[in-house]
Amino acid sequence: MALLFSLPPPSSPSSSSPSFSSHYFSISLSSGHQSGRRIRFLPVAATTTTHNRQHSIPLDKSWLAVAEASEEDQLWAAACLRVRSFYDFQDSSYGIHERIAGKRKGFKRVSCINATLPLSQLSSSANDLCAACKFTSNGEDRVVVGTLDLNQCLWLPEEIAGTKPEGIEAGFGRAYLSNVCVARELHRNGLGYDIVTKSKIVAEEWGITDLYVHVAVGNEPAKNLYMKSGFIHENNEPAWQARFLDRPRRILLWIGLPCTNEL
């Protein structure tokens, strides 16, 4: 048995809640082995972002941890960060529904990568963030401040596909970033760069040779982040597709990775 977390699109996005984030996503909580439930983030949209002009809280990044997430509480905190990054976070704005879990067709592997800080290291001006995105690990209260998904697959739903590598190698050598999100209070602290850097390390460990990310064509802050991380332009979404999906047109960015783990 599993749970499906789904967020219906609102009539208009929250103008005060920008992010390195996708518009729509769902989260499957499926039964694991003896360790209990396991949560898997299912990407259904590409990354989009705008920058907030509000004052950014400075961080002591010596306390920052960036790693793959496996604990249910932390994964749920990441889900809450994604919701509040693009929507007004209200209990009534999302729902949880039961369904039978199954293997996600077309996805070889998916991992949630989070940036977290101890609750004690965040100031009182981040109370809303702390309340929404807090979790407890090994007796310590921490807060998810950045998150993304790394998806090993040929393509993401409703997105233009990458072209590298070709042939049978594409099935295990290609991956995409999705649901990239940084808490709006903590922009301009390099958190987006940190989680993207970690995703590249994990992708290399998986044997990924070609990593992709989608970004809205007019989104200069997001493009700057990915270009700084080494991505280059590969392709443009057709204008008709963006109109059909009623969203800003995307571009596809690519980076080649050294393969450190032959599968």
Side-chain angles (χ1 to χ4, degrees), residues 7-262:
L7 180 65
S11 57
S12 62
S14 170
S15 60
S16 62
S17 302
S19 66
F20 297 100
S21 172
S22 63
H23 289 321
Y24 316 116
F25 61 87
S26 61
I27 302 165
S28 168
L29 290 77
S30 56
S31 297
H33 298 290
Q34 298 299 325
S35 59
R37 291 188 299 173
R38 176 174 54 84
I39 301 177
R40 182 179 60 177
F41 291 94
L42 307 180
V44 294
T47 53
T48 60
T49 178
T50 56
H51 263 259
N52 198 323
R53 295 183 179 179
Q54 72 178 48
H55 177 68
S56 181
I57 301 171
L59 295 179
D60 178 358
K61 293 179 70 175
S62 66
W63 295 92
L64 183 71
V66 183
E68 293 182 86
S70 60
E71 297 177 354
E72 180 177 323
D73 287 349
Q74 182 181 164
L75 291 169
W76 187 256
C80 293
L81 177 60
R82 296 175 188 197
V83 173
R84 77 184 294 275
S85 292
F86 207 81
Y87 297 83
D88 291 322
F89 187 80
Q90 299 175 357
D91 291 342
S92 60
S93 67
Y94 64 93
I96 301 174
H97 313 280
E98 274 194 59
R99 70 181 176 92
I100 299 300
K103 182 178 176 61
R104 178 69 171 177
K105 184 178 180 180
F107 288 79
K108 188 175 181 64
R109 197 181 317 186
V110 180
S111 180
C112 174
I113 297 172
N114 290 337
T116 70
L117 284 167
L119 178 64
S120 60
Q121 295 301 307
L122 291 169
S123 70
S124 58
S125 55
N127 283 341
D128 178 68
L129 170 65
C130 295
C133 305
K134 184 181 74 171
F135 67 99
T136 301
S137 178
N138 297 321
E140 180 185 36
D141 289 337
R142 299 186 67 89
V143 179
V144 175
V145 295
T147 181
L148 61 75
D149 288 338
L150 174 64
N151 311 274
Q152 187 178 20
C153 56
L154 290 174
W155 62 79
L156 295 182
E158 299 185 345
E159 300 293 348
I160 51 176
T163 60
K164 304 181 185 71
E166 299 179 347
I168 60 173
E169 294 182 357
F172 59 83
R174 185 185 302 168
Y176 298 82
L177 301 182
S178 65
N179 298 326
V180 188
C181 174
V182 171
R184 59 182 177 266
E185 297 92 337
L186 303 177
H187 282 179
R188 301 181 180 87
N189 280 292
L191 295 177
Y193 183 83
D194 292 336
I195 57 176
V196 170
T197 297
K198 178 63 176 181
S199 73
K200 290 158 59 179
I201 294 171
V202 174
E204 289 179 24
E205 294 172 351
W206 290 2
I208 300 299
T209 58
D210 298 272
L211 183 61
Y212 287 93
V213 66
H214 300 83
V215 62
V217 67
N219 194 329
E220 294 303 323
K223 286 192 286 187
N224 289 340
L225 165 67
Y226 299 125
M227 296 295 185
K228 180 182 177 182
S229 300
F231 287 82
I232 61 174
H233 177 272
E234 179 175 293
N235 202 358
N236 296 318
E237 180 181 42
W240 67 263
Q241 182 172 328
R243 289 195 298 269
F244 177 78
L245 296 171
D246 191 24
R247 68 182 188 195
R249 191 178 181 189
R250 315 245 199 251
I251 61 174
L252 181 65
L253 303 179
W254 164 87
I255 186 173
L257 301 175
C259 182
T260 60
N261 179 30
E262 294 294 338

